[in-house]
Amino acid sequence: MALSHQHWWEMLLLLLLTNAFVLLPWAGAGRIIDGQKVKPHSRPYMAHLKIQRGSQTSYCGGFLIRPDAVLSAAHCVDKEGVRVTVTLGAHNIRLWEWSQQKIRVGHWVVHPKYSRVGLKNDIVLLKLEKNARINKNVQIIPIPDEKESVREGALCNVSGWGWTSMKGHKSNVLMEVELKVQKEEICQQRSSNFQHQSMLCVGDECSKKATSKGDSGGPLVCNKKAHGIVSHGYGDCLFPEVFTRISHFEPWIREQLRRFALQDIPGSPSSG
Ligand SMILES: *[C@@H]1O[C@H](CO)[C@@H](O)[C@H](O)[C@H]1NC(C)=O
């Protein structure tokens, strides 16, 4: 999850800390806080994104919506010259599990209205170089229609690989936390950048459970559909958090998927 004052935080971190961890871009740190381990391979749509830029590596989450397409957060890939590799079918990301499929990302489309300021329209569609093999451990998750909104008070799950506490213990296995969709006013009070049409205000009022930076791009799953994408929070607070509202972007997503399919036809101008 990224913070709004990204550059300020990056500089502060560089000043305060000197270990190798700090060299990771902001999106690389992460944690599901106060969550629980997921039953292995019970979230077969989950994608682990490895984002490389020169010698720097960061990580994000994402999710498979078609055998050749993964949705994630735009801020995960918003730097020049990054290369992205997706791992599907993973439980323990540090191991070479037989279920894993590592696939390079050929190209991606960041939403044309994505803005780093306030992280508006924080959504990217990644086109895999080859189709994922769909099986027990690797599956797609449906997204809602444009008119299908998730109601306030709904309980949803978010999963990710990352730290499991503020102290920075990283989890190698997929973790999950259950969070509630909140009133938009709660996020509007925090920031004038909150846009209710394109964002979801989510969190645990008790501020014990949360997602954070490295969980960026992962799905908020409500009633078996991916309704949100982990986007950002406010400062060090665990509550509330902002997710990209997928239903708002459904027509845009469908259009990009059609383009991806056209590019796969041999001889088309943008193929290869
Ligand atoms: C979230 O996941 C947990 C653990 O698998 C499950 O018990 C719970 O019902 C899920 N909640 C929702 C809203 O799907």
Side-chain angles (χ1 to χ4, degrees):
M1 182 172 282
L3 297 167
S4 323
H5 305 294
Q6 186 169 359
H7 296 298
W8 189 86
W9 279 103
E10 273 177 356
M11 278 174 60
L12 184 71
L13 271 175
L14 283 168
L15 287 172
L16 290 179
L17 305 164
T18 50
N19 62 28
F21 166 76
V22 182
L23 298 174
L24 300 175
W26 199 220
R31 61 218 172 193
I32 288 274
I33 296 178
D34 206 31
Q36 56 191 45
K37 280 183 189 169
V38 162
K39 183 171 164 282
H41 309 296
S42 61
R43 306 290 178 256
Y45 46 78
M46 274 304 291
H48 180 265
L49 271 56
K50 183 178 180 185
I51 300 137
Q52 287 168 295
R53 183 169 177 253
S55 57
Q56 298 183 337
T57 304
S58 61
Y59 303 94
C60 269
F63 48 102
L64 195 67
I65 60 165
R66 205 171 68 177
D68 65 338
V70 166
L71 262 186
S72 185
H75 78 259
C76 290
V77 296
D78 75 351
K79 295 209 169 76
E80 288 293 311
V82 297
R83 284 190 305 136
V84 186
T85 310
V86 161
T87 304
L88 301 163
H91 179 60
N92 186 328
I93 202 64
R94 295 268 160 208
L95 300 180
W96 278 96
E97 298 163 318
W98 62 270
S99 57
Q100 291 184 10
Q101 297 180 35
K102 283 191 204 295
I103 306 178
R104 290 248 291 268
V105 172
H107 66 278
W108 54 85
V109 196
V110 168
H111 193 277
K113 293 205 177 129
Y114 164 66
S115 143
R116 276 189 186 187
V117 179
L119 289 170
K120 291 171 185 155
N121 308 299
D122 192 8
I123 183 168
V124 64
L125 195 61
L126 309 165
K127 168 81 165 96
L128 304 183
E129 269 189 0
K130 59 176 192 189
N131 282 5
R133 285 188 312 279
I134 302 300
N135 58 32
K136 188 160 63 74
N137 302 311
V138 175
Q139 282 168 33
I140 62 173
I141 182 164
I143 60 168
D145 292 337
E146 191 183 5
K147 297 201 178 61
E148 204 178 334
S149 65
V150 61
R151 68 188 159 75
E152 182 195 313
L155 282 177
C156 311
N157 270 326
V158 194
S159 41
W161 288 270
W163 299 356
T164 50
S165 76
M166 299 294 269
K167 295 201 187 90
H169 297 291
K170 230 178 148 203
S171 172
N172 295 333
V173 300
L174 187 60
M175 302 291 291
E176 179 168 66
V177 73
E178 192 175 67
L179 298 173
K180 195 196 277 182
V181 176
Q182 300 285 344
K183 283 195 195 43
E184 59 205 52
E185 287 81 8
I186 291 174
C187 286
Q188 269 159 355
Q189 280 160 12
R190 284 302 187 115
S191 165
S192 57
N193 284 319
F194 185 82
Q195 299 181 316
H196 89 96
Q197 281 204 323
S198 59
M199 298 177 181
L200 287 168
C201 189
V202 175
D204 172 57
E205 299 93 331
C206 304
S207 286
K208 288 205 303 218
K209 301 189 287 182
T211 69
S212 196
K213 291 155 286 183
D215 299 316
S216 282
L220 180 77
V221 180
C222 324
N223 202 8
K224 300 196 173 128
K225 286 186 181 177
H227 276 271
I229 304 173
V230 181
S231 178
H232 62 284
Y234 302 110
D236 280 338
C237 303
L238 295 181
F239 176 83
E241 315 179 44
V242 178
F243 285 65
T244 306
R245 188 191 283 270
I246 294 177
S247 58
H248 175 74
F249 296 98
E250 190 255 355
W252 178 80
I253 294 167
R254 299 274 169 229
E255 187 192 331
Q256 304 315 313
L257 288 175
R258 275 194 297 274
R259 291 188 179 188
F260 283 0
L262 287 175
Q263 286 156 4
D264 281 344
I265 298 169
S268 76
S270 48
S271 73

